[in-house]
């Protein structure tokens, strides 16, 4: 195989996540199970635990500790952009697969065998979020200006995964397969840096998704070269109760790759999912043996709480609120 898998790791909660990701590739990757795996620690910080280092070594993972992210070290989601750009320049494999650390594989990802007509394969976002449905949408001015800054002439559309809503091309950056020779990651880093330099950020000042937004501007340059991963990839397992049709009832032994976010720290997470997962599959039994991660949390799952309570409020109540990353405000003369 001519593929390399990439992910980012830092001391703390990313350590057990990263180890499980690497284990999943080796266990469930099929033809890809023996591909090189590279872990990146792009920011200076506390050292990884000895048990983590031993685990990575046992799994044949190459650890890169070079501090690649100097300029935007306040923004952890920039780590993936710097890591991908480095890998694109320095590695030899033609197909690079970046995975968020809070994801795992449960099947052979044959969609990563990109045909010659494609330079990338990934999945549209689950929800509109910071995306735009087009003219008249509250976020559309931001998107139009972003396209102008990035030199995008034609704006593609995709459909969101959960409800099929047409939006301007906006993809999930949690699982990306790219052709190294296409130079996509270098362009991604250039556009991300440019957006930060000119302070083109969402009006809220929240830059949590600027990695995805800059990726959207990058991919909009050549939408005809993008392949789409179906729901069996990057499957948002915590939102299972909110999905419709087969997407809401698919079992673990039918999925290729899942995105669990923080929910593997939830005690009984797999047992609480609705519709229920089959508990006799090898995939379920394997995954259950590693859960829960520590420290545990007790936040209610999606679709299992009063709809009048926002997810942000629930996170606040249960001590699982996500950090909001913001840039320093630029004073206008």
């Amino acid at each position: 195989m001519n593929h390399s898998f990439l992910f980012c790791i830092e001391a703390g909660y990313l350590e057990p996540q990263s180890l499980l990701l690497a284990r999943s590739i080796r266990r469930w990757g099929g033809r890809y199970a023996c591909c090189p795996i590279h872990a990146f620690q792009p920011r200076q910080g506390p050292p990884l635990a000895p048990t983590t280092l031993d685990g990575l070594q046992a799994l044949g993972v190459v650890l890169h500790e070079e501090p690649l992210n100097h300029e935007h070290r306040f923004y952890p989601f920039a780590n993936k952009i710097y890591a991908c750009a480095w890998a694109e320049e320095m590695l030899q494999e033609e197909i690079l697969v970046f995975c968020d650390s809070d994801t795992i594989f449960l099947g052979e990802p044959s969609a990563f065998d990109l045909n010659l007509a494609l330079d990338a394969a990934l999945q549209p976002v689950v929800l509109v979020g910071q995306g735009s449905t087009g003219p008249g949408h509250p976020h559309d001015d931001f998107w139009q200006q972003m396209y102008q800054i990035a030199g995008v002439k034609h704006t593609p559309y995709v459909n969101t995964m959960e409800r099929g809503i047409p939006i301007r091309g906006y993809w999930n950056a949690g699982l990306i397969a790219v052709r190294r020779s296409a130079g996509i990651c270098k362009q991604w880093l250039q556009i991300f840096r440019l957006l930060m330099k000119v302070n083109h950020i969402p009006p809220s000042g929240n830059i949590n998704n600027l990695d995805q937004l800059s990726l959207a501007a990058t991919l909009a340059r050549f939408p005809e070269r993008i392949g789409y991963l179906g729901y069996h990839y990057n499957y948002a397992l915590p939102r299972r109760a909110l999905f419709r049709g087969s997407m809401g009832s698919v079992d673990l032994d039918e999925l290729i790759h899942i995105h669990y976010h923080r929910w593997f720290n939830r005690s009984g997470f797999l047992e609480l999912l609705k519709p229920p997962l089959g508990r006799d599959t090898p995939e379920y039994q394997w995954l259950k043996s590693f859960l829960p991660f520590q420290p545990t949390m007790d936040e209610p799952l999606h679709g299992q709480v009063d709809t009048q309570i926002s997810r942000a409020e629930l996170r606040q109540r249960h001590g699982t609120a996500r950090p909001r990353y913001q840039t320093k405000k630029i004073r206008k003369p």
Side-chain angles (χ1 to χ4, degrees), residues 12 52-53 95 104 130 196 199 227 245 251 260 270 273 305 327:
T52 299
L53 295 173
I95 305 299
I104 61 169
Q130 291 191 349
M196 293 291 280
N199 204 38
D251 216 328
Y260 58 87
L270 295 180
L273 287 169
V305 293
T327 60

Side-chain angles (χ1 to χ4, degrees), residues 147-331:
Y147 285 149
Q148 185 176 8
I149 292 168
V152 174
K153 297 180 180 179
H154 304 289
T155 59
Y157 277 75
V158 297
N159 294 327
T160 61
M161 294 301 296
E162 187 169 304
R163 292 290 179 265
I165 300 172
I167 60 172
R168 295 193 184 276
Y170 192 22
W171 293 268
N172 191 304
L175 181 65
I176 312 166
V178 296
R179 190 179 303 280
R180 186 176 59 82
S181 58
I184 292 172
C185 300
K186 180 180 179 180
Q187 295 181 59
W188 184 13
L189 179 58
Q190 290 172 340
I191 290 177
F192 170 74
R193 281 174 164 166
L194 181 57
L195 293 177
M196 293 291 280
K197 180 180 180 179
V198 302
N199 204 38
H200 186 68
I201 59 176
S204 64
N206 183 351
I207 62 170
N208 281 29
N209 294 113
L210 200 61
D211 60 322
Q212 288 191 161
L213 292 165
S214 54
L215 179 62
T218 305
L219 298 179
R221 292 174 164 181
F222 39 85
E224 72 285 352
R225 304 287 299 176
I226 303 171
Y228 295 87
L229 300 176
Y231 68 77
H232 296 86
Y233 291 80
N234 212 5
Y235 181 80
L237 188 61
R239 299 189 65 83
R240 178 178 177 83
L242 305 177
F243 293 150
R244 298 172 178 173
S246 59
M247 190 173 173
S249 59
V250 65
D251 216 328
L252 292 183
D253 60 354
E254 302 172 82
L255 294 170
I256 303 298
H257 175 267
I258 65 173
H259 205 150
Y260 58 87
H261 302 282
R262 65 193 182 281
W263 290 97
F264 279 2
N265 290 74
R266 175 65 160 91
S267 297
F269 171 66
L270 295 180
E271 293 84 354
L272 290 168
L273 287 169
K274 303 294 182 182
L277 295 170
R279 301 187 183 186
D280 296 328
T281 65
E283 293 81 0
Y284 185 99
Q285 293 297 323
W286 176 85
L287 181 53
K288 181 176 171 56
S289 69
F290 294 103
L291 304 182
F293 291 157
Q294 298 296 324
T296 59
M297 66 177 192
D298 61 356
E299 182 181 341
L301 274 63
H302 292 276
Q304 299 180 15
V305 293
D306 186 343
T307 57
Q308 300 301 313
I309 303 175
S310 70
R311 180 54 58 177
E313 184 178 348
L314 281 171
R315 288 180 179 138
Q316 198 67 38
R317 289 183 184 181
H318 293 269
T320 57
R322 294 186 296 185
R324 284 172 57 93
Y325 299 102
Q326 295 182 299
T327 60
K328 296 178 180 179
K329 294 183 178 180
I330 298 177
R331 294 182 180 179

Side-chain angles (χ1 to χ4, degrees), residues 1-6 35-36 87-97 112-116 118-120 176-185 225:
M1 305 302 295
N2 197 17
H3 297 65
S4 275
F5 289 87
L6 322 172
C35 288
E88 186 177 79
E89 181 180 357
M90 303 301 294
L91 298 185
Q92 299 301 312
E93 289 76 23
E94 178 62 358
I95 305 299
L96 305 177
V97 180
F112 295 160
D113 286 342
L114 303 183
N115 66 51
L116 295 179
L118 300 177
D119 289 330
I176 312 166
V178 296
R179 190 179 303 280
R180 186 176 59 82
S181 58
I184 292 172
C185 300
R225 304 287 299 176

